[in-house]
Each structure stands twice: as structure tokens, then as C-alpha cells.
Amino acid sequence: MSDWPLLSLVTFLPLLGAAIILVIRGDNDVVIRNARSVALWTSGVTFLLSLFLIAGFDPDQPGFQFVERADWMPGLGIQYHMGIDGISLWFVPLSALLTILCVVSSWYSVEHRVKEYMVAFLVMDSLMIGVFCALDMVLFYVFFEAILIPMYLIIGIWGGPRRIYASFKFFLYTLAGSVLFLIAVLAIYLNTGTTDIAVLQTAQIPESLQYWLWLAMFASFAVKVPMWPFHTWLPDAHVEAPTGGSVLLAGVLLKLGGYGFLRFSVPMLPEASEYFTPFIFTLSAVAVVYTSLVALVQQDMKKLIAYSSVAHMGLVTIGCFTPNALGIQGSIVQMLSHGVVSAALFMVVGVVYDRIHSREISRYGGLAERMPVYAVIFLFFTMASIGLPGTSGFIGEIMVIAGVFQMNSWVAALAATGMILGAGYMLWLYRRVVFGKITRDDLKSIKDLRWNEMVAFAPLVFLAIWLGIYPSFFTRPMEPAVAQLLQQAQTVDTAAVAGE
């Protein structure tokens, strides 16, 4: 398949599936059954194709691979330019996998406007993969911005009682940041004459301009991560979103900010990145400690996990701006781990919410008695979230902390407190929900995991263990790309100093 336009196939196949679902006609039951089947087959084939990217990826080559080029706006020099390197490689199959799991896990729980629900998730799949494959800033911006639309609809149509408020808040926050990113793209194009990402990573942008561009990009990526204090949209979005929406939001969308820092801010704006690194470390350290403390007092399961996501992503942003390979690779591994573990934790909450229709922690207790399989799955992902050795969470956190320790032991110490506080709020959550005696009548008849729920959890358990015990399989392809990123940043920085 080496001659196939594999990236375009993986990117646009879900969009084709969405178009097929839109033309399905017939009785309501027939439409629902066919819509689910098309969504499952399309997302499944997309995931299988994404595995060919891993199989065909050369881990010794630092540049972009599977490159595709075509004229898009020839008068402006803007191309349809796609490709992946070791930094973006793993996010493509992760996006494809989580989309399948959203389809499977919602098989019985979503009964309202099923056809439109499946279309929204397939469109999301296409746009998420496109973001990680785009090698032109305008193309990246199109995918990056368009993601807002299906997620806005997913929260606004299939969300909870305050879904309209949450969807507007999500949209306005992220749109404001994206507009500033667009201004940065225009400024870069006017200054360099190109929007090609590969060219721009070796371009020398004037230092005085770098600071303004960095701040514009920061406004966009900091909201997406989200960093403290730009995180307030996230708990509302998670609480009101349906389970599938929370899975993609936590599993993929939060990674777009960290990916943006690594793809644009660090290699293209090295002097500004170095100048603002203390600022990033300060916000990230506050995020790790403050949002972990906030998570400790939450009464809503989804809100607790949402605040824990902000704390975990604080470690990611610390790693992104750590000027060594260990820290940057750690931030990528932490993003992958969080994509697996947080997605699973939101599915864990979704299982009991579908049965009892409540996320209040005090509403539960003693579930281990009636739901032993559920209790084991919940325990495993609780341990992975707090960074138990042997799970993916431990690898990402220890790499980031070790990387940042080489340059600032205080930041490393504050980052490490997140592991301690994380153990506190996650074990507290688990104890309240799973242990104890069942006192409520509806919990005495609650059913354990269904087949589709066990199918959805199985690959996430496998990935969390695989990444935890054999991380080099995932970090090996990253090494040349991360080394090149650091070299590019250093080369551009040195050239700028020499030119002064």
C-alpha cells in the first residue's frame, strides 16, 4: 500500500461514511440499525488503515513520512500538504480507535436522533485525524477550527440539562483562541511568504515578531489544552456532554493544544518559547496543584475527572517546554496515556449514569457487590490515572518529571505533588462509589457490564498495560522527530543570535 494516498484515505473515509448515513432512508428502526452499522464499519476500517501507518513508518527517519502534496490555492502558494512524523504518528490511530469505542459504547445508550449522532462522530473522526496529518498551516487551521462544529452539536443536542450553556461556553472560548491563531498564521505568511509547516520550522522569524506570534498561538493552544486559568469551560462541557462526547473531548481534543505547542511554538518561535518558559511552568505548576485540590472537593464524578484532566495536562505543558528530549517525549507519552485512561474513566462514569441517571458520588456505594467486573475495570483505570508503575500513567509522568528536574527541581517537585494529590482524589472517588454496603433500592438490582461495554474497555486496558510495560515501542519512533525538533529550535536560535 506504499503508493496509496493512505493519509487522505484515513482522513476522509469517515467523512464518506457520514455522507452514506445521511442518505439512509426507511423506517426509524431500519435507519437506526443501518446508521449504527455504517458508523461501526467505517470507523473500524479507518482504524485498520491507521495501523498501516504504524507498520509502514520508518522509526529511524526524522522527517515527515507518507507525504502527499497537491495544489490547493496556487495563487497564494498554499498546498494540500499531508504527512506525519514521530510526534503525530500515534495520535492518528488513537483518534480512530476512540471513535469506534464511542460508537460501540453508545449502541444502547443513545436512542435519540441516532442517525445524526453517528454522522457527528464520523465527521469528528475525519477532522481530528486531519489536524494531526496537516502540514500546511491553513489546512491545519481548517481542520482545527471545524472540529468546534460537531463537538458543539454533540454537547448541545445530546447533552445534559445545561447543554446549551455548556456548548456556547465551549464554542466561544475555543473560537476566541482560534481567531488569534488565524491572525498569527496571516502574520507568518506575510513575513515569510509561505504556510508550509516543514519550511517554517527552519525559517528565521524576527525575534521582535516572535513574541507577538507566540502570545497569539498561546491564546489558542492554552484554551484547547486547557491550561489554568483558561480551563473553566472544560468542567461544564464534560458534565453536560454525552459519554461519547466526553471521551473524544478528553481523549483527543485536549491534545490539540499540546500538539500545537510542539508543532508550532517550540520549533518556529524558539527565542519566544525560551523567554516564556518560566511563564508556562508557573501556570502549569499552579494547574497541577490547584486543580488537584479542586478535584478533591467535587461531588460530581465527571467534574472530578475533568479537573484531574486539567492537572494531568499541566504536566503535558511542562514537558512541551522542557528543552530536552526526555521532557518532550514524556509530554507526548503523557498525552497518549491521558487519551486512553481519561477516555476510559469517562466511559466508567457513563456506565452507571446510563443505569441510574446520576453522577453524584454520594448517590452510589457498594457497587462491587452487584458489579464485580465493573469494579475491576474501574480499579484498573484508577490505578493508571494515579500513575501506578506498570501502567501508562506512570511512564508519562516520570518522564516529564525527570526531564524538567534537569533544569528546575522546584518545578519538578510541584509536578510530583500532582501524583500524590491524584492518588488522594481518585482513591476517594473509588472508595465512595465501589466499596461499602448498598443502601439504595435501585442499586440492589443494577446490572454489571454489557457485552458492548466490555468490548469498548478491552482495547483501552490493553493499551494502558502495553504502554506501561513496553514504552519503547511507542517512544522509539518519536526519538528522531523530537531530536530534530530540538535541533531545529537550537539552529534557528543560534542563527538569529549570529545575525544580530
Side-chain angles (χ1 to χ4, degrees), residues 33 44 54 87 92-94 103 119 146 161 188 258 262 302 307 314 326 337 355 361 367 391 395 411 414 419 500:
R33 185 175 64 247
I54 300 173
I87 295 174
V92 176
L94 177 67
V103 172
V119 168
I188 289 173
L262 292 177
K302 264 194 166 182
Y307 279 108
L326 191 59
S337 171
R355 288 155 171 75
I361 297 172
L367 289 184
T391 64
I395 300 299
V411 175
L414 287 171
M419 298 178 75
E500 287 179 352

Side-chain angles (χ1 to χ4, degrees), residues 112-113 116 152-160 163-164 167 242:
H112 168 61
R113 302 182 72 170
E116 292 85 352
Y152 171 76
L153 295 175
I154 288 168
I155 299 173
I157 296 175
W158 294 278
R163 59 185 179 276
I164 302 301
S167 59

Side-chain angles (χ1 to χ4, degrees), residues 327-345:
I328 292 176
Q329 285 185 41
S331 72
I332 301 170
V333 172
Q334 179 69 2
M335 282 193 274
L336 293 174
S337 171
H338 184 264
V340 171
V341 175
S342 67
L345 286 172

Side-chain angles (χ1 to χ4, degrees), residues 10 59 83 107 131 168 175 223 262 270 300 307 399 403 475 477 494:
V10 172
W107 205 264
V131 166
F168 266 98
L175 178 65
V223 170
L262 292 177
D300 184 300
Y307 279 108
M399 288 178 73
T475 57
T494 304

Side-chain angles (χ1 to χ4, degrees), residues 237-249:
H238 269 310
V239 167
E240 299 305 324
T243 300
S246 291
V247 167
L248 290 190
L249 194 58

